[in-house]
Amino acid sequence: MTAHPTALPTPAATELLVELTTTVNGDAVTASVPPRLHAADFLRQRLGLTGTHVGCEQGSCGMCTIVVDGEAVKSCLMLACQLDGRNVQTVESLAADDRLDPLQQAFKEAHALQCGFCTPGFLMTATALGYQGGCPSRAEIREEIAGVLCRCTGYENIVTAIENWFAGSARTATDEAPATGCPGGTQ
Amino acid sequence: MTTLERPLPADDATATPRGVIGTSVLRKEDDRLLRGDGRFTDDVEPAYLLHMAVGRCPYPHARVVRVDASRAWALDGVKHVLVGADVRAATEPLTVLRPVPGAPALPYYALAQDVATHEGQPVVSVAATSRHVAEDALELIDVEYEPLPHVVDVLAALEPDAPVLHPSVLNSNLLAANSDGSGDPEARMREADVVVEGRFRINRVTALPMETRAVVAEWRPGARELTVHVSTQVPHLIRKQLAETLRLTESDVRAVASDVGGGFGLKLGVFPEDVLASLHAMALRRPVKWVEDRAEHFRASTHARESVHDYRIAADASGRILAMTDVYATDIGGWNSPFGSAQLSSVVLNGPYRVEDGYAERRVTLTNKTPVGAYRGYGQPEVNFAYERLMDTLARRLDRDPVELRAQNMVKQQDLPWKNPTGAVYDSGDYERCLRMAAEAIGWSAHRAAGRVPRADGRLAGIGFSSFVERTGYASARFLARRGSQFGAHESVTLRANRSGGIDLYTGVSTMGQSAETAFAQVVSDVFGIDYAAVKVHAGDTGASPLNTGAFASRTMIAAAGALKEAAEELAAKTLRLAAARLGADAAVLEIAGPVVRHRDDEGVQVPLAEVFTTAITGQGIPPGEDPGLEATSHFEPSDAAYSFGTAAALVSVDPLTGEFDVERFVLVHDAGTVVNPTVVEGQVRGALAQGFGAALTEELRYDGDTGQLVNGSMLDYFVPTAADLPPLELLHTEVASPVTPFGIRGVGEVGTIPPGAAVANAICDALADFGVELSSLPITPEAVWRALADRAASEDPDDHLTPTPGDLPDGGVGY
């Protein structure tokens, strides 16, 4: 960021490229990428999946959270080449045609978003939480989503949306079998 | 009719297709944002795009002796490099939208000229084929700096021996001082039975929107068209400022802000990088993108709040307040940013309390830190902390119940409207009712009766209050003109019928989370009668909206509601006339009901809106005397600012051995007048409270005095609340309509930022009253409480108080 009086050596004019093969939202993807390209930039700039946002590039804010092999990860802390052989899910995978996914619908009905910049991060964090199974309490939901920051909502309605989703139609397995429903929920 | 929102939720919009004011219809903004289909600035990716990176001064104060960019130019992929002289030759200094009265213009260019005055100030800029290459190029630019003496403390900056930041236009670091007031507060101080006073230090914080600033600039020289996609709250003001700075006409500039990932006051006006990206684009005839990284954001986007308030309250023995004064130094940083110094500490100097003799003096002070700009609250959290802490001090001094002391002094409902000492006209409300409701909800009577008995674990419980009024919107353009503000007090909308039977709504207000698209469509639906789903809002494009003011100062709804109402009424009247001609009926017996115009008493007589709109748009079959077309633009200025109000109460438990404390309950009773969408309003209040708690308890940008460096400029070191950090928040509302705005609306976006600091501090001081603890600084941390308990707090020199400046200062108050 800062122009220092002492400069580094001139980098090579042509960057090395590495090959990767991965699955993104169910589609097979093959690409050649610079080794320093991080996963969030790869998804946004190479695949046009701009729903994954970038907020700090140091793993603090959680805007760029995606699901890799069923777990929530911060895609700014992962290099694109590390996606090789993995199964990647982004926010674009949730809605089908004109229908919002039940998790998205729960967010909408609970007014769990305002500017919406952080929303994909929360949706993917909650998706991975659903894969873990179980019925988290409100306090547990708060802890689980604490890796994603929101400056608009004060979080209350995000917790409610996720709780309602668990109470209704959370997918609690990677085969997307609907859960029988968790207790709780306020809708 | 076109269904614009699918699927419609079963229990809401289908049951209430009209977006009636006062109902919680689901938001228009949500579907695209939930699907990852928002259009934030970084999502705009034109062909042949280049990327910009900015090299910044690493010192708090330094002379730029030499810049050698030759090695950067030679790097493969680098297309353009800008240095200070290039910017000086091609641009005018950045303009200020809200000048401080009496302040000279500072020569603030997009790149530092001879001297940089804060860490992070732009010095060089590169456009290249990728962000990687552009950042590599910065490393190759050789900048020689001569570090200069610096000052980062706001009071030290006013000392005679402080290094002067802008010696070409000022002989000290006092940018300007303003005063407002009435009566003779000094005389009342002398007559009073009791005077309480304190020095209150307010922390430097930052709005920290989740989307950093970003800009994509494109220039077509043949068309003379600079298109700037920019993350801003004020597209039409950015357009004006860019034209001024780049020596273009406004016709040459189009600013577009589609989705904005939070603003909170920070994204109010042009920043240096907007100018730099435009200059690169104009030099290269290729689009140039810059997306601020978070490390830059902490140093190059504006900070807020930092100030030192010396506040005094005088009262008689009965507790009646005789005078209130606040002399405060407020930190502006190294430059006067577009929205400059917070102005509302002066305007709401006295909060909700009745006092005839009052005085506020603001000293806007330059320091070698990142410039300060607007942030949600804009001076009101700061002054609230001062006067509400002192209200509790006064209660203890007089051995009065702090709730009763507040109630005794509050402006009464029957006395409103009432003009406060700085000229602000409080419009309406029942301040005491909010206070009583808060006291009841938090269990004040039982707590006070129980006395300070430690719990089994040794902790002490305390309850604290904070009562406030909040200025929302602006007094008229007449007032703004008197202070040189570069904008008006109105809002503007265009409504345009379309052949599908829907209404397109065009606004220059950008979408940043405040739910304007939803609320605007509700008002149109309510007034016109069309279905909420049939109103489509197009926001934030200066090329497709009437010239408006912008989304700030909690002003959007109170001004826009009037414009929406007028435009919808005009459109509805013509629609009814055209339908009357078509149906052979009198317009007076017709009504617009969702997708049709129909006879009020005979549903068999009706015509679809799509047909009426098509008739108007084609002009085929319109009655004699009617013009073709169906479109209305309205500009509306409310008659005055509206004042929201309320009281917060906090229940806190404190460990008197360690200072560790826990906010166990927090109640906010507040009044935003007529509520357009209750769910949205509650969301705004909760969100602002979260920011209020951050600023009160955990957030503080700290500079090292020796090096002048920001020491916690990252999200790892600057602690905004997470989902696991906030106390339980209980919200209660009253609803007193404002007489100065359409529908009785008051602004709502900023209220939650105001009371957390004072309420929590008062609760801790209540719990620790037997220890004589008085907190006077933000943020309130366990360490600060422990230091106060152990009497280890840094003592302030009692002779050190800021005192009113004799003689006349420029008036800086109401209208700002």
Side-chain angles (χ1 to χ4, degrees):
Chain A
M1 177 202 99
T2 300
H4 293 288
T6 53
L8 297 171
T10 307
T14 319
E15 281 195 276
L16 176 81
L17 297 177
V18 293
E19 301 294 318
L20 82 95
T21 302
T22 182
T23 303
V24 179
N25 298 336
D27 294 334
V29 172
T30 303
S32 300
V33 297
R36 63 178 169 176
L37 184 70
H38 65 57
D41 281 351
F42 172 71
L43 293 168
R44 291 179 55 81
Q45 295 164 11
R46 292 296 187 88
L47 305 186
L49 297 172
T50 54
T52 298
H53 297 148
V54 176
C56 72
E57 296 178 289
Q58 60 177 174
S60 298
C61 75
M63 300 301 102
C64 63
T65 304
I66 59 173
V67 176
V68 177
D69 292 344
E71 293 191 354
V73 302
K74 292 174 174 174
S75 60
C76 74
L77 291 187
M78 198 171 186
L79 294 169
C81 53
Q82 291 177 287
L83 296 176
D84 188 59
R86 315 290 286 275
N87 185 19
V88 179
Q89 194 182 349
T90 71
V91 69
E92 286 88 350
S93 69
L94 295 179
D97 300 324
D98 278 339
R99 308 283 314 175
L100 294 179
D101 167 271
L103 176 62
Q104 293 168 315
Q105 189 66 29
F107 267 61
K108 182 174 178 176
E109 290 173 5
H111 186 34
L113 63 153
Q114 290 180 23
C115 83
F117 195 78
C118 67
T119 306
F122 283 105
L123 291 172
M124 299 321 290
T125 302
T127 297
L129 186 59
Y131 291 154
Q132 291 176 17
C135 293
S137 67
R138 283 183 77 85
E140 286 165 344
I141 292 170
R142 284 186 177 278
E143 290 295 335
E144 289 288 343
I145 65 172
V148 187
L149 297 177
C150 170
R151 201 61 160 159
C152 292
T153 65
Y155 303 104
E156 182 77 7
N157 294 347
I158 297 174
V159 177
T160 298
I162 295 172
E163 185 185 37
N164 289 346
W165 176 62
F166 271 100
S169 49
R171 292 172 298 183
T172 56
T174 49
D175 64 0
E176 303 191 7
T180 50
C182 293
T186 56
Q187 293 286 307
Chain B
M1 188 195 81
T2 304
T3 301
L4 296 168
E5 284 245 314
R6 291 183 291 180
L8 291 173
D11 61 347
D12 199 323
T14 49
T16 314
R18 294 263 304 272
V20 176
I21 292 171
T23 61
S24 289
V25 294
L26 296 182
R27 293 205 322 155
K28 292 234 169 236
E29 297 87 341
D30 284 350
D31 279 43
R32 64 175 190 267
L33 297 169
L34 284 161
R35 295 168 60 118
D37 201 20
R39 181 67 59 87
F40 296 95
T41 299
D42 191 19
D43 303 337
V44 176
E45 193 86 358
Y48 311 110
L49 181 67
L50 298 173
H51 296 265
M52 181 175 89
V54 178
R56 301 173 184 282
C57 180
Y59 300 102
H61 197 191
R63 186 174 307 285
V64 182
V65 178
R66 187 177 57 84
V67 180
D68 179 0
S70 55
R71 288 203 297 158
W73 277 104
L75 181 66
D76 188 30
V78 169
K79 300 295 182 186
H80 196 227
V81 179
L82 286 168
V83 299
D86 303 323
V87 169
R88 180 73 179 245
T91 69
E92 301 298 320
L94 274 62
T95 53
V96 177
L97 294 170
R98 296 184 85 189
V100 177
L106 301 180
Y108 187 22
Y109 286 89
L111 290 177
Q113 298 300 309
D114 295 338
V115 173
T117 59
H118 68 92
E119 180 200 358
Q121 184 174 348
V123 176
V124 292
S125 176
V126 175
T129 49
S130 76
R131 182 176 154 198
H132 291 157
V133 174
E135 293 192 358
D136 288 345
L138 291 182
E139 301 292 333
L140 299 175
I141 297 175
D142 187 5
V143 183
E144 184 184 337
Y145 293 102
E146 176 195 345
L148 299 171
H150 62 266
V151 60
V152 295
D153 180 82
V154 63
L155 292 183
L158 291 171
E159 294 294 324
D161 59 347
V164 175
L165 270 65
H166 298 289
S168 63
V169 285
L170 288 165
N171 55 21
S172 78
N173 293 317
L174 181 65
L175 181 65
N178 319 120
S179 67
D180 299 274
S182 66
D184 189 349
E186 295 305 321
R188 300 292 89 73
M189 295 277 169
R190 289 190 294 273
E191 298 159 9
D193 294 310
V194 56
V195 175
V196 290
E197 60 189 311
R199 166 162 291 182
F200 300 93
R201 289 183 179 272
I202 311 298
N203 44 338
R204 175 174 275 246
V205 300
T206 186
L208 210 75
M210 289 297 102
E211 183 207 26
T212 56
R213 289 187 296 116
V215 58
V216 178
E218 294 181 74
W219 171 244
R220 294 170 61 211
R224 281 199 75 74
E225 185 176 275
L226 178 73
T227 301
V228 179
H229 291 263
V230 58
S231 182
T232 184
Q233 301 171 228
V234 286
H236 281 280
L237 291 174
I238 289 271
R239 181 188 188 217
K240 164 194 142 62
Q241 289 188 287
L242 272 181
E244 289 167 344
T245 300
L246 295 168
R247 300 174 185 149
L248 299 172
T249 68
E250 283 199 45
S251 307
D252 302 334
V253 182
R254 175 182 168 208
V256 185
S258 302
D259 285 308
V260 176
F264 317 120
L266 182 141
K267 295 174 181 173
L268 268 182
V270 80
F271 279 83
E273 295 84 357
D274 305 326
V275 175
L276 296 173
S278 299
L279 287 174
H280 286 303
M282 293 169 80
L284 296 166
R285 294 180 61 175
R286 281 180 67 173
V288 173
K289 175 186 279 188
W290 173 75
V291 178
E292 184 181 52
D293 74 28
R294 194 57 75 174
E296 291 180 293
H297 182 81
F298 272 103
R299 292 160 181 85
S301 285
T302 48
H303 297 169
R305 301 258 197 274
E306 184 173 6
S307 51
V308 179
H309 291 252
D310 280 354
Y311 204 111
R312 294 181 296 168
I313 299 178
D316 67 19
S318 80
R320 186 171 68 93
I321 295 174
L322 302 175
M324 301 171 92
T325 69
D326 185 17
V327 180
Y328 61 104
T330 181
D331 189 349
I332 192 73
W335 296 98
N336 195 5
S337 70
F339 240 73
S341 158
Q343 323 235 1
L344 296 182
S345 288
S346 296
V347 173
V348 295
L349 156 83
N350 56 305
Y353 305 115
R354 179 162 197 133
V355 63
E356 310 301 332
D357 300 82
Y359 180 82
E361 181 176 325
R362 174 177 64 145
R363 298 180 186 168
V364 182
T365 307
L366 291 151
T367 63
N368 290 112
K369 292 182 291 189
T370 294
V372 161
Y375 177 37
R376 205 173 192 173
Y378 202 55
Q380 301 180 98
E382 296 92 309
V383 74
N384 177 262
F385 183 70
Y387 67 71
E388 282 298 86
R389 282 293 300 115
L390 282 180
M391 287 300 285
D392 270 25
T393 305
L394 181 63
R396 267 192 282 283
R397 188 78 60 84
L398 294 170
D399 196 22
R400 290 284 308 278
D401 180 328
V403 170
E404 297 307 323
L405 181 72
R406 283 178 170 81
Q408 175 189 355
N409 283 290
M410 278 178 168
V411 182
K412 302 291 182 280
Q413 185 170 22
Q414 60 271 21
D415 295 335
L416 293 170
W418 175 78
K419 185 183 279 192
N420 85 347
T422 62
V425 180
Y426 295 2
D427 55 285
S428 67
D430 190 342
Y431 304 163
E432 184 178 341
R433 181 171 169 227
C434 289
L435 170 68
R436 299 287 182 194
M437 286 171 68
E440 171 78 20
I442 202 78
W444 170 247
S445 300
H447 169 79
R448 190 161 165 86
R452 291 184 192 86
V453 184
R455 295 175 179 174
D457 61 2
R459 295 173 79 91
L460 290 158
I463 286 176
F465 294 89
S466 169
S467 297
F468 57 88
V469 293
E470 180 205 3
R471 215 280 289 276
T472 71
Y474 285 105
S476 65
R478 193 175 67 249
F479 278 106
L480 290 167
R482 222 182 285 162
R483 274 85 183 181
S485 291
Q486 300 293 300
F487 51 85
H490 69 282
E491 200 47 56
S492 315
V493 295
T494 294
L495 299 181
R496 182 184 298 159
N498 64 49
R499 280 160 287 206
S500 306
I503 292 178
D504 291 295
L505 191 167
Y506 297 88
T507 170
V509 170
S510 50
T511 297
M512 56 177 183
Q514 81 281 46
S515 307
E517 292 180 32
T518 298
F520 284 18
Q522 280 187 262
V523 173
V524 171
S525 176
D526 188 295
V527 174
F528 189 92
I530 196 171
D531 289 346
Y532 169 70
V535 182
K536 172 87 169 184
V537 180
H538 308 266
D541 183 348
T542 64
S545 59
L547 219 163
N548 74 329
T549 303
F552 54 94
S554 294
R555 59 171 300 283
T556 303
M557 268 321 283
I558 63 181
L564 291 160
K565 179 172 182 288
E566 288 179 358
E569 285 172 348
E570 183 184 334
L571 217 60
K574 185 167 181 180
T575 299
L576 289 173
R577 290 198 305 274
L578 296 179
R582 196 169 180 86
L583 293 169
D586 186 346
V589 302
L590 299 179
E591 64 178 3
I592 300 165
V596 300
V597 184
R598 69 181 185 197
H599 195 290
R600 288 178 194 279
D601 304 320
D602 181 359
E603 287 196 23
V605 179
Q606 62 168 257
V607 57
L609 274 181
E611 279 188 40
V612 181
F613 289 176
T614 300
T615 300
I617 291 164
T618 60
Q620 297 171 3
I622 58 172
E626 291 285 359
D627 292 326
L630 195 52
E631 179 170 327
T633 295
S634 183
H635 311 272
F636 180 85
E637 179 185 294
S639 60
D640 202 344
Y643 288 81
S644 297
F645 54 90
T647 293
L651 170 64
V652 174
S653 69
V654 192
D655 182 333
L657 294 178
T658 65
E660 187 273 327
F661 64 89
D662 184 29
V663 180
E664 298 182 344
R665 289 181 63 201
F666 190 88
V667 177
L668 176 63
V669 187
H670 119 283
D671 190 303
T674 303
V675 169
V676 175
N677 185 318
T679 300
V680 164
V681 165
E682 180 162 328
Q684 288 294 310
V685 174
R686 282 191 183 281
L689 279 170
Q691 293 188 5
F693 270 98
L697 303 183
T698 57
E699 295 178 33
E700 182 175 32
L701 290 164
R702 299 195 76 142
Y703 281 78
D704 181 274
D706 292 334
T707 64
Q709 301 287 308
L710 177 64
V711 297
N712 60 340
S714 86
M715 278 183 161
L716 293 170
D717 305 301
Y718 182 82
F719 305 118
V720 300
T722 74
D725 295 332
L726 289 165
L729 305 174
E730 303 161 49
L731 305 184
L732 298 169
H733 301 282
T734 67
E735 194 165 321
V736 178
S738 168
V740 299
T741 62
F743 308 109
I745 294 165
R746 301 177 201 276
V748 71
E750 302 177 81
V751 59
T753 62
I754 298 172
V760 171
N762 281 339
I764 292 171
C765 295
D766 174 52
L768 301 179
D770 293 340
F771 298 81
V773 165
E774 297 286 354
L775 298 172
S776 57
S777 297
L778 294 175
I780 308 151
T781 63
E783 180 187 341
V785 177
W786 176 78
R787 286 187 184 279
L789 275 164
D791 203 19
R792 292 183 178 89
S795 63
E796 297 279 3
D797 181 347
D799 299 328
D800 202 23
H801 286 179
L802 303 173
T803 54
T805 302
D808 290 335
L809 291 170
D811 173 4
V814 74
Y816 263 87

